Amino acid sequence: MNIIDELKWRDAINQQTDEKGLNDLVDEKKVGLYVGIDPTGDSMHIGHLIPFMILKRFQLAGHRPYIVIGGATGSIGDPSGKKAERKLQTMDVVEDNARKISGQMEKLFGQDGSFKIVNNYDWTSKLSLLDFLRDYGKLFNVNTMLNKEVVASRLEVGISYTEFTYQILQSIDFLHLFEDEDVQVQIGGADQWGNITAGIDLIHKIKGADAKAYGLTIPLMLKADGTKFGKTEGGAVWLDPEKTSPYEFYQFWINQDDRDVVKYLKYFTFLSEDEINDLADKVKTAPEKREAQRRLAEEVTEFVHGKDAVKEAENITKALFSGNVADLTANEIEQGFKNMPSVDVTNEKKNIVEWLVDVTKIEPSRRQAREDVTNGAIRINGEKVQDTDAEINPATHFDGKFVVVRKGKKRYFLARVK
């Protein structure tokens, strides 16, 4: 099957401007395609990842992917999916965000020259106001723009002229890439349909109705319970490991619902149809083993963070399940215990009872501390301690940075050595 047929099998296509034309195009040549992203933050989250998974598939099929960082469009704000005006960011912030997002793209797409990152500020900033109005504004009908869903949805609450012109700027991007880079396809989320079709209309007006320019959107990703994919109780799941650790990232995927996991395997992994069908069967016959979820977590974590991050995440998962934390590294402790109760301590040696009560406040009283220690309810750095005269030395494990306490079977505490 060609790349379009594969995307259909993966349920990754929502709309196409010309299905037959695009199918013929990818069969006859290596096509230039692009996805844009505005640098409104300093990291992508997994919601942003959705269209770039499609772009990556085109790259693996030998096509020419382009990534447009919206240094210009990001400075004015995309009205798509917003009920109110975006807060404008300074150009310094936009530039810093663009630099960080570009670094994340290089991790996803490699540095072998098979893809290209461009910034629309490079060509948009050269336009004068008169050029913008005469060369482009004249070609956009206000009535047509008002009927685009992205604008129509904002008319009741109001939309500024700045955000109203966003679709013109994005259309100029498509025209620029079409003319200068032979890019013929734009890919975007379902909410970008109006912007994509506006770009194709502009190309046809300037280059002629026969110009081969195409658009493809991807479906809105919803979970089986009807809620939006990618959100957790803790907020967004970021690609930046400083915002969402690789362990947390891995856990997000491994905890997916049985009803969603096959859909995500199709969308977020590069496994074959046979491999995914085999995992789908295992979801039905042995759901308790969660093999599909584990494979999903492995594949996506490796794609975003690399093989070492997968190994770390698996080490942490096994250690927390078994209680054998002694062999974890300091970095793995930092990731695995990030959201568990923690307290700051000094590196001073202390009797275990005093340390549990006076230093960490893990135990409410010396009597309770002695009872829990004697009964084997306390583990320090993975080892059961039953001697009430034992001494805690914070410097002995995890590079002297942490002491891990487990009270009972499941309650963990992290002491950070300062």
Side-chain angles (χ1 to χ4, degrees):
M1 65 177 100
N2 70 13
I3 180 66
I4 302 299
D5 292 330
E6 181 186 352
L7 294 179
K8 287 180 180 178
W9 173 77
R10 292 181 183 273
D11 298 320
I13 296 179
N14 182 46
Q15 292 172 289
Q16 299 180 68
T17 55
D18 179 355
E19 182 175 351
K20 183 180 185 305
L22 181 55
N23 229 316
D24 292 343
L25 185 69
V26 299
D27 280 339
E28 70 184 39
K29 63 181 288 190
K30 298 304 181 185
V31 181
L33 321 90
Y34 89 94
V35 174
I37 180 170
D38 285 340
T40 52
D42 60 3
S43 171
M44 293 194 296
H45 54 68
I46 57 174
H48 293 131
L49 190 60
I50 295 172
F52 291 102
M53 294 301 300
I54 304 303
L55 197 64
K56 182 69 178 182
R57 293 188 197 284
F58 275 99
Q59 181 189 34
L60 294 174
H63 297 281
R64 300 181 292 109
Y66 285 74
I67 294 162
V68 176
I69 304 292
T73 45
S75 69
I76 70 166
D78 180 359
S80 301
K82 295 294 178 181
K83 296 180 180 179
E85 293 283 316
R86 292 177 185 266
K87 182 179 179 181
L88 295 180
Q89 296 179 318
T90 67
M91 289 307 298
D92 286 344
V93 170
V94 172
E95 289 172 6
D96 186 54
N97 290 345
R99 178 181 58 80
K100 291 175 179 176
I101 289 174
S102 294
Q104 292 180 336
M105 292 299 180
E106 289 176 356
K107 288 184 66 177
L108 298 179
F109 287 85
Q111 295 177 299
D112 59 0
S114 64
F115 86 107
K116 188 173 182 179
I117 298 176
V118 294
N119 190 320
N120 62 19
Y121 184 83
D122 293 341
W123 55 85
T124 306
S125 62
K126 296 174 183 176
L127 280 174
S128 71
L129 177 59
L130 287 178
D131 290 337
F132 174 76
L133 294 174
R134 288 176 60 87
D135 297 342
Y136 303 110
K138 193 70 174 175
L139 300 176
F140 284 80
N141 184 288
V142 170
N143 289 341
T144 302
M145 295 175 70
L146 289 172
N147 286 327
K148 300 284 187 182
E149 173 62 25
V150 65
V151 173
S153 62
R154 287 278 299 277
L155 291 181
E156 285 191 16
V157 295
I159 182 171
S160 69
Y161 180 72
T162 297
E163 291 196 5
F164 182 64
T165 62
Y166 185 94
Q167 64 181 276
I168 301 180
L169 293 184
Q170 186 167 316
S171 299
I172 293 172
D173 290 346
F174 200 171
L175 175 66
H176 172 84
L177 293 171
F178 182 88
E179 292 180 324
D180 287 28
E181 303 284 355
D182 190 28
V183 170
Q184 295 176 266
V185 183
Q186 183 181 358
I187 299 169
D191 62 348
Q192 292 297 312
W193 180 252
N195 292 331
I196 292 172
T197 54
I200 293 173
D201 289 343
L202 178 62
I203 291 171
H204 286 162
K205 287 176 181 176
I206 292 179
K207 308 303 292 187
D210 293 334
K212 293 184 177 181
Y214 306 90
L216 182 156
T217 64
I218 55 182
L220 178 65
M221 189 75 67
L222 295 175
K223 296 189 289 187
D225 61 8
T227 59
K228 191 172 181 181
F229 165 80
K231 297 291 185 180
T232 67
E233 292 183 3
V237 179
W238 301 97
L239 272 58
D240 183 344
E242 298 299 319
K243 290 176 172 284
T244 299
S245 72
Y247 167 72
E248 292 172 301
F249 190 85
Y250 179 92
Q251 287 296 311
F252 169 81
W253 295 103
I254 209 168
N255 287 323
Q256 292 305 315
D257 193 302
D258 287 344
R259 297 171 295 173
D260 291 319
V261 66
V262 175
K263 174 172 66 177
Y264 296 159
L265 282 166
K266 287 183 176 181
Y267 204 95
F268 290 102
T269 78
F270 302 100
L271 299 178
S272 69
E273 183 174 352
D274 287 343
E275 288 175 300
I276 291 175
N277 287 339
D278 180 59
L279 289 167
D281 288 339
K282 291 177 179 177
V283 172
K284 295 177 182 177
T285 59
E288 71 283 356
K289 293 183 178 180
R290 300 186 69 78
E291 288 187 46
Q293 283 88 345
R294 186 162 57 251
R295 190 66 186 276
L296 174 67
E298 291 169 357
E299 293 291 322
V300 187
T301 305
E302 180 176 339
F303 176 58
V304 173
H305 294 296
K307 289 183 179 180
D308 289 344
V310 175
K311 185 177 180 180
E312 281 189 341
E314 290 175 341
N315 288 343
I316 296 167
T317 301
K318 291 175 184 176
L320 291 180
F321 181 77
S322 66
N324 299 324
V325 301
D327 293 333
L328 294 179
T329 66
N331 180 58
E332 289 168 344
I333 290 293
E334 182 72 61
Q335 290 188 57
F337 289 81
K338 180 180 178 181
N339 296 316
M340 292 185 184
S342 65
V343 62
D344 292 342
V345 300
T346 68
N347 61 2
E348 182 182 0
K349 298 177 184 178
K350 281 276 188 180
N351 168 266
I352 187 171
V353 173
E354 294 178 14
W355 191 82
L356 289 170
V357 178
D358 301 333
V359 177
T360 65
K361 306 290 192 296
I362 291 172
E363 292 284 12
S365 67
R366 281 177 167 73
R367 181 195 62 77
Q368 186 65 55
R370 283 192 291 268
E371 183 178 319
D372 285 344
V373 170
T374 303
N375 291 338
I378 300 294
R379 289 179 180 268
I380 304 295
N381 298 328
E383 297 181 7
K384 185 183 294 186
V385 180
Q386 292 182 274
D387 182 1
T388 56
D389 292 326
E391 185 178 69
I392 298 293
N393 182 356
T396 57
H397 286 75
F398 313 124
D399 299 333
K401 296 179 180 179
F402 307 107
V403 179
V404 176
V405 182
R406 193 177 90 177
K407 181 179 177 181
K409 291 185 177 180
K410 295 183 178 180
R411 295 182 64 194
Y412 280 98
F413 303 87
L414 181 66
R416 299 177 180 272
V417 183
K418 300 296 183 181

